């Protein structure tokens, strides 16, 4: 299986390094046309558009954020390439969801949603079969984790001495308002009862040093609460290490003879 990447940020570099170490590529890097002439020490062939990608690419992996999925997702799927993405929050736009669905059907391809920085999504998917009544996601980060987000419009992040909530609403609102911070909320919504029924609370807490994600769910199955304290990638404090690892896990599942 030949894998191509979108994105050269922290998650993209992690994925590229792991694939290279395992002798599995990557075989192409989709970049903005303006960056085609940039010299890359990784020697990965660079391409400026989906149409220019090699014909023998089997799987594309989006590590570049919402904009990349919006720009390239449909074209990749219509081309017949499966696509793994970590940009789950972009699917809060119902028009994009329809566009990607139609493109996947037209190309006979699939869009795979990486689990990202959260777990327990398999339990949510199973519980949804019998019926879920309540799903809540709570995201708690140190104040610096909310820099350059709408949290700065509601809180003085430098002056916080105790935990403060800066957002309460639906997963659709969270994913729309916090495009760089709410991919986990989107993952929970997509695995469970949807963007409009999933409740989200976002908290800045000066007493924590890790990004903490909590999911609570109730339904005919019973109830559960899942909590994870995630660390960031060494070269980017805003990128979850587990999110990068989940991409490699998703690629491995696509290759495995026996998979979960």
């Amino acid at each position: 299986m030949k894998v191509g990447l979108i994105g050269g940020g922290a998650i993209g570099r992690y994925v590229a390094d792991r694939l290279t170490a395992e002798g599995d590529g990557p075989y192409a890097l989709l970049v903005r046309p303006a960056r085609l002439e940039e010299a890359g020490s990784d020697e990965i062939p660079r391409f400026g558009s989906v149409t220019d990608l090699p014909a023998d690419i089997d799987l594309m992996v989006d590590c570049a954020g919402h904009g990349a999925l919006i720009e390239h997702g449909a074209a990749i799927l219509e081309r017949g390439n499966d696509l793994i993405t970590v940009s789950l929050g972009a699917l809060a736009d119902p028009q994009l969801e329809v566009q990607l669905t139609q493109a996947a059907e037209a190309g006979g391809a699939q869009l795979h949603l990486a689990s990202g920085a959260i777990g327990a999504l398999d339990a949510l998917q199973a519980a949804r079969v019998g019926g879920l009544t309540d799903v809540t996601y709570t995201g708690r980060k140190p104040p610096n984790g909310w820099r350059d987000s709408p949290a700065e419009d509601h809180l003085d992040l430098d002056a916080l001495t105790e935990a403060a909530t800066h957002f309460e609403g639906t997963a659709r609102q969270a994913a729309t308002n916090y495009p760089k911070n709410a991919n986990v909320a989107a993952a929970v919504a997509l695995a469970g009862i949807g963007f409009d029924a999933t409740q989200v609370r976002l908290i800045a807490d000066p007493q924590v040093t890790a990004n903490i994600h909590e999911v609570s769910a109730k339904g005919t199955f019973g109830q559960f609460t899942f909590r994870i304290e995630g660390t960031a990638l060494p070269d980017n404090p805003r990128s979850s290490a587990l999110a990068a690892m989940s991409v490699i896990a998703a690629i491995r599942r696509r290759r495995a003879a026996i998979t979960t």
Side-chain angles (χ1 to χ4, degrees):
M1 178 183 292
K2 289 193 172 182
V3 178
L5 298 182
I6 311 171
I11 292 179
R13 289 193 298 273
Y14 178 94
V15 172
D17 289 345
R18 288 301 295 261
L19 290 175
T20 300
E22 296 172 6
D24 290 329
Y27 294 91
L29 181 63
L30 185 60
V31 299
R32 296 184 183 93
R35 299 187 62 185
L36 273 176
E37 302 305 320
E38 292 183 6
S41 59
D42 48 35
E43 298 184 353
I44 303 171
R46 284 162 164 74
F47 302 89
S49 71
V50 172
T51 56
D52 292 335
L53 289 171
D56 59 351
I57 291 293
D58 301 297
L59 174 69
M60 290 296 295
V61 180
D62 161 37
C63 304
H66 294 190
L69 183 62
I70 293 168
E71 182 177 359
H72 301 299
I76 289 170
L77 295 166
E78 286 176 347
R79 191 175 185 261
N81 291 129
D82 287 352
L83 173 63
I84 294 173
T85 184
V86 294
S87 306
L88 278 64
L91 294 173
D93 179 352
Q95 292 183 337
L96 179 63
E97 184 177 9
V98 169
Q99 180 187 26
L100 293 174
T101 299
Q102 292 175 342
E105 291 172 346
Q110 285 187 315
L111 175 63
H112 300 270
L113 309 179
S115 56
I118 193 64
L121 299 184
D122 55 343
L124 268 181
Q125 290 169 339
R128 184 176 62 190
V129 174
L132 284 163
T133 55
D134 300 279
V135 179
T136 300
Y137 163 70
T138 301
R140 184 185 301 265
K141 298 181 181 182
N144 281 340
W146 298 109
R147 298 289 181 191
D148 300 321
S149 82
E152 294 181 316
D153 298 330
H154 304 283
L155 302 173
D156 184 347
L157 297 176
D158 293 319
L160 283 182
T161 57
E162 59 184 23
T165 299
H166 53 87
F167 174 86
E168 286 188 276
T170 68
R172 191 179 304 279
Q173 292 168 329
T176 300
N177 296 343
Y178 291 76
K180 296 182 180 179
N181 302 90
N183 278 330
V184 175
V188 171
L190 288 163
I193 53 178
F195 280 100
D196 297 312
T198 302
Q199 297 302 303
V200 173
R201 182 181 301 111
L202 302 179
I203 300 170
D205 188 344
Q207 305 303 316
V208 303
T209 57
N211 294 342
I212 301 173
H213 307 286
E214 295 177 295
V215 180
S216 298
K218 296 179 181 178
T220 57
F221 77 98
Q223 59 184 351
F224 78 76
T225 298
F226 177 85
R227 173 187 170 105
I228 185 169
E229 296 187 20
T231 58
L233 289 171
D235 55 348
N236 189 339
R238 297 183 186 178
S239 294
S240 162
L242 186 60
M245 295 169 189
S246 78
V247 174
I248 296 297
I251 294 171
R252 288 177 175 173
R253 283 195 299 273
R254 296 282 296 129
R255 290 177 167 150
I258 300 175
T259 185
T260 56

